[in-house]
Amino acid sequence: GHENKVKANLERRIESMGMAERIFRVEVPQKQVTKIKDGKRMEKDERVFPGYVLVEMLLDQESWYVVRHTPGVTKFVGSEKSPISMKESEIKRILLRNQPVATPGAQAKVKVVHFKVGQIIRIMSGPFADFEGEITEINAEKEKLKAKVSIFGRDTPVELFFNQVQEIT
């Protein structure tokens, strides 16, 4: 739960030790989620990978020393001698997932798409991103729909905003 504190410590250390040309970016992957508490909608940032801080850097002895001796840094993905680099495809997937998702009210109106009950859609954002489902109910006024999504072999009803889904053609 101290990811942001570790990020701040590491950024201060990078600046004070003049390592900005070797350590480029420190990220705590987060996504914005909408939670309803006491009938009120609340926007909240939630960590995608709790306990992890991602560092973009040129890996050499000096940059590695700065990172591993930063207060709050305890373990690494990889061996004690060297961390494991992430694949480019993994990085893109994580960073694209962190892009803010438009929510109703944040823009004038979501482009009206003519959804139909029984239509198959692909979920583009949220916890069910990349799943496909079948529309079971549509609420055009609230710009929401309900869909059945197969999770672990069971149909699970989920409620989604229009801007979270895309028609499959």
Side-chain angles (χ1 to χ4, degrees):
H2 296 280
E3 296 89 346
N4 290 324
K5 192 183 295 185
V6 170
K7 177 183 177 183
N9 286 343
L10 188 51
E11 287 172 342
R12 277 194 300 271
R13 213 166 139 83
I14 291 167
E15 188 178 323
S16 69
M17 296 182 82
M19 295 297 288
E21 69 279 351
R22 292 189 185 143
I23 303 174
F24 311 113
R25 182 166 56 171
V26 181
E27 286 287 325
V28 176
Q30 296 182 341
K31 63 182 176 184
Q32 193 171 46
V33 294
T34 303
K35 295 195 177 199
I36 298 176
K37 186 175 183 180
D38 299 329
K40 294 181 184 177
R41 182 180 302 251
M42 296 172 47
E43 297 290 326
K44 182 181 175 187
D45 286 334
E46 193 172 86
R47 289 181 297 280
V48 177
F49 303 111
Y52 289 86
V53 177
L54 305 179
V55 181
E56 181 181 6
M57 63 189 246
L58 292 175
L59 185 60
D60 60 22
Q61 290 299 323
E62 292 175 36
S63 61
W64 177 227
Y65 178 86
V66 170
V67 173
R68 76 173 182 250
H69 288 94
T70 298
V73 175
T74 57
K75 295 180 184 175
F76 300 91
V77 176
S79 68
E80 289 292 319
K81 296 179 181 176
S82 180
I84 294 177
S85 296
M86 294 177 68
K87 295 178 184 170
E88 191 72 30
S89 60
E90 293 173 323
I91 295 167
K92 284 181 182 177
R93 192 177 79 234
I94 290 168
L95 295 179
L96 288 177
R97 185 170 273 189
N98 289 341
Q99 298 300 316
V101 176
T103 55
Q107 50 182 271
K109 275 286 181 189
V110 174
K111 179 180 138 189
V112 176
V113 179
H114 300 286
F115 293 115
K116 297 177 191 142
V117 172
Q119 180 180 13
I120 305 297
I121 47 100
R122 172 170 284 117
I123 302 170
M124 304 306 293
S125 65
F128 299 101
D130 300 328
F131 279 84
E132 292 181 3
E134 180 182 341
I135 297 175
T136 58
E137 189 179 314
I138 300 171
N139 185 338
E141 292 173 5
K142 292 186 178 180
E143 298 179 351
K144 287 184 175 182
L145 59 84
K146 288 185 181 176
K148 288 188 302 188
V149 177
S150 180
I151 301 172
F152 301 120
R154 284 191 163 162
D155 283 342
T156 304
V158 295
E159 188 173 64
L160 304 158
F161 288 106
F162 285 179
N163 64 352
Q164 290 182 287
V165 300
Q166 145 184 337
E167 292 178 286
I168 296 179
T169 54

